[in-house]
Amino acid sequence: MWYFKTVLFRFSLNFVCFYFLTIAKAQERPLNIWFNQPASQWEETLPLGNGRMGMTPDSGIEMEKIVLNDITLWSGQPQDANNYEAHTYLPEIRSLLHKGENDKAEALINTHFICEGAGSGSGRGANVPFGGYQTLGTLYINFDYKSKAPLVVEKYKRELNIENAIAKCTYEVNGVQYTREYFTSFGDDVSLVKITVNKPGKLNFMINLDRQERFETHIQKNKLVMSGQLNNGTDGKGMLYMVKVGLKLTGGKLITTDKALQIKDATEVILYISAATDFKNTDFEKRVDKLLKVTQAKSYANQKDRHITNFQKLFKRVSLQLGESSREDLPTNERLVAFAANLDADKALGKLFFQFGRYLSISSTRVGLLPPQPARSVGTTFTNAMEWGLSHGCECANESLGPRNC
């Protein structure tokens, strides 16, 4: 009898726990940031990253602009900038400070208590041995809708699901629905962009790559390649890098030019973006090719599932409930304006804000690589990203997620 009661009690307890967990899960809403128009500037783009690579698509209608990044891409070079005589001035500096002669102490510090060499180059860090983080490049997708009349775009929406680390853009042109899906894989370490239409043969676009300086582009075995060498601050022979874009088409055909890929009359196209630098890796070009080969051999569904699974191992460690919201049907920029007018009507926005900060941290960090700089990545980037299109500027961004040429 005692045993039976114990078993019944445990069963009842498990059932109650399961019931309330199910209810709680059912009440959870997707953690989405969304807008009803393309990004008009970089600060409005949706950041994607896996700690090494990053991309920020603007989801433009006629031209898509995707900024690409690799956290290891820096100009400059190793140097010994130590001032080995600086410590000899420390007693005199202390004496001046003790006497209250701060101006003289400051002058002595500025003259003798600084590093050797050009330092950060007075804002020109990219062109001196000190170096600076560099944007990998920009991928352009120029769409051709085969329409002589001005485009009529309907039902536009772009969104970032921060629980899955996947961005998406949907819209209609001339009765055709276009869908783009983006993620930087936590699986096989490449970035993927899937472009589809709901009517066969309606995809037509051109792809090319560039960056501000020090690059060359060419076509190699139906892949778009960009490579170059950054400035090291002395002889110009700094870090080497490479980006390759491979494609998988459903329907249509691929046409290559000297420096671009053109897709005609396709129904679905998947872009695979692989990149690497020679940071601690002299065989980086082989790594780029290997990543592309491994990724393209797998199905898109497999890649997506693996990405979500690996990302959620980190993201699902923390949950937060602050209240309900009646504003989730608003684009995020409008939701923020409404929140400022009535805080109590959207208590769930605080949860989104908190989880977006975690999303950025997870997406910009990887064990064994360079750490993100917290003040920039979860300070400047976080603040500006959360202002979602309210025309606030951003001085720079986290290395793996956004552009910055220092």
Side-chain angles (χ1 to χ4, degrees):
M1 190 67 169
W2 173 85
Y3 175 78
F4 175 75
K5 289 181 178 180
T6 302
V7 172
L8 182 62
F9 172 76
R10 288 180 177 176
F11 175 80
S12 301
L13 183 61
N14 288 336
F15 176 80
V16 170
C17 290
F18 174 78
Y19 174 79
F20 282 108
L21 282 173
T22 303
I23 294 297
K25 286 289 183 183
Q27 291 177 343
E28 284 186 8
R29 303 292 295 275
L31 291 172
N32 283 358
I33 298 166
W34 72 278
F35 305 91
N36 56 13
Q37 60 186 10
S40 62
Q41 57 186 10
W42 178 80
E43 289 81 4
E44 297 174 14
T45 59
L46 300 174
L48 299 159
N50 65 5
R52 184 182 74 87
M53 293 183 65
M55 65 174 174
T56 52
D58 68 1
S59 300
I61 296 166
E62 294 186 78
M63 183 181 74
E64 168 90 78
K65 181 179 178 182
I66 304 175
V67 176
L68 307 174
N69 280 277
D70 182 311
I71 199 171
T72 66
L73 187 63
W74 287 70
S75 63
Q77 64 178 345
Q79 60 170 327
D80 182 1
N82 289 318
N83 182 347
Y84 292 98
E85 301 300 321
H87 72 282
T88 62
Y89 293 90
L90 188 57
E92 186 177 356
I93 292 169
R94 287 171 173 168
S95 176
L96 290 170
L97 291 173
H98 185 69
K99 295 175 183 178
E101 299 182 44
N102 293 0
D103 290 343
K104 291 181 179 180
E106 183 179 1
L108 200 60
I109 290 171
N110 291 340
T111 304
H112 300 289
F113 220 70
I114 58 175
C115 294
E116 298 290 345
S120 63
S122 300
R124 295 174 53 254
N127 296 310
V128 296
F130 181 86
Y133 176 74
Q134 299 293 296
T135 303
L136 181 59
T138 303
L139 174 69
Y140 299 92
I141 308 175
N142 291 284
F143 290 89
D144 182 0
Y145 294 96
K146 304 294 183 181
S147 175
K148 295 181 180 180
L151 291 183
V152 177
V153 180
E154 298 177 301
K155 301 178 182 178
Y156 182 95
K157 183 179 183 180
R158 65 184 176 99
E159 59 187 317
L160 171 64
N161 184 317
I162 64 175
E163 291 178 284
N164 296 336
I166 293 176
K168 189 176 181 180
C169 167
T170 57
Y171 59 94
E172 290 185 7
V173 173
N174 299 331
V176 179
Q177 184 182 64
Y178 292 79
T179 302
R180 304 176 211 165
E181 191 170 69
Y182 323 74
F183 64 92
T184 298
S185 178
F186 274 74
D188 287 322
D189 204 16
V190 298
S191 292
L192 293 92
V193 180
K194 182 181 179 182
I195 308 172
T196 59
V197 288
N198 67 344
K199 293 184 179 180
K202 293 296 183 177
L203 272 181
N204 296 275
F205 56 85
M206 178 98 61
I207 303 171
N208 63 291
L209 284 164
D210 74 7
R211 68 186 308 275
Q212 291 183 346
E213 60 177 359
R214 295 177 173 267
F215 76 97
E216 292 182 354
T217 56
H218 66 277
I219 303 299
Q220 181 185 75
K221 297 180 180 179
N222 291 335
K223 294 179 177 63
L224 177 59
V225 183
M226 181 174 71
S227 59
Q229 186 170 32
L230 300 186
N231 189 7
N232 63 356
T234 53
D235 60 5
K237 297 179 180 180
M239 183 175 284
L240 297 164
Y241 67 90
M242 174 181 281
V243 188
K244 277 192 178 182
V245 181
L247 302 177
K248 186 181 289 185
L249 277 66
T250 300
K253 59 182 177 179
L254 171 64
I255 301 171
T256 61
T257 67
D258 289 342
K259 297 183 178 182
L261 299 174
Q262 185 176 7
I263 289 81
K264 285 193 172 184
D265 305 324
T267 302
E268 176 183 291
V269 180
I270 303 173
L271 281 62
Y272 302 87
I273 306 163
S274 179
T277 74
D278 67 346
F279 175 73
K280 296 184 178 181
N281 183 9
T282 55
D283 292 330
F284 71 100
E285 293 176 338
K286 292 181 180 179
R287 173 177 169 80
V288 170
D289 290 332
K290 182 179 179 180
L291 288 172
L292 268 184
K293 183 178 181 180
V294 169
T295 305
Q296 289 186 276
K298 299 177 182 179
S299 70
Y300 180 83
N302 177 280
Q303 287 285 332
K304 183 177 175 180
D305 289 345
R306 188 178 176 204
H307 161 73
I308 293 172
T309 298
N310 289 347
F311 174 77
Q312 289 188 344
K313 287 178 182 177
L314 300 172
F315 188 82
K316 292 292 188 179
R317 290 176 177 178
V318 178
S319 62
L320 178 69
Q321 295 294 335
L322 296 176
E324 297 299 318
S325 172
S326 60
R327 303 286 171 77
E328 291 176 336
D329 59 332
L330 293 176
T332 308
N333 54 318
E334 296 179 19
R335 186 176 174 183
L336 279 168
V337 174
F339 177 75
N342 185 354
L343 307 184
D344 292 331
D346 195 357
K347 294 179 179 178
L349 185 63
K351 170 185 174 179
L352 183 62
F353 191 96
F354 170 78
Q355 292 287 27
F356 184 57
R358 293 186 61 246
Y359 166 84
L360 288 176
S361 180
I362 294 168
S363 299
S364 61
T365 310
R366 178 180 291 190
V367 175
L369 284 181
L370 303 173
Q373 298 186 27
R376 279 212 302 269
S377 63
V378 191
T380 307
T381 305
F382 182 42
T383 302
N384 283 280
M386 285 301 293
E387 282 168 353
W388 291 308
L390 298 183
S391 300
H392 290 267
C394 179
E395 185 176 322
C396 50
N398 174 265
E399 285 85 350
S400 66
L401 295 179
R404 183 177 187 260
N405 286 331
C406 300

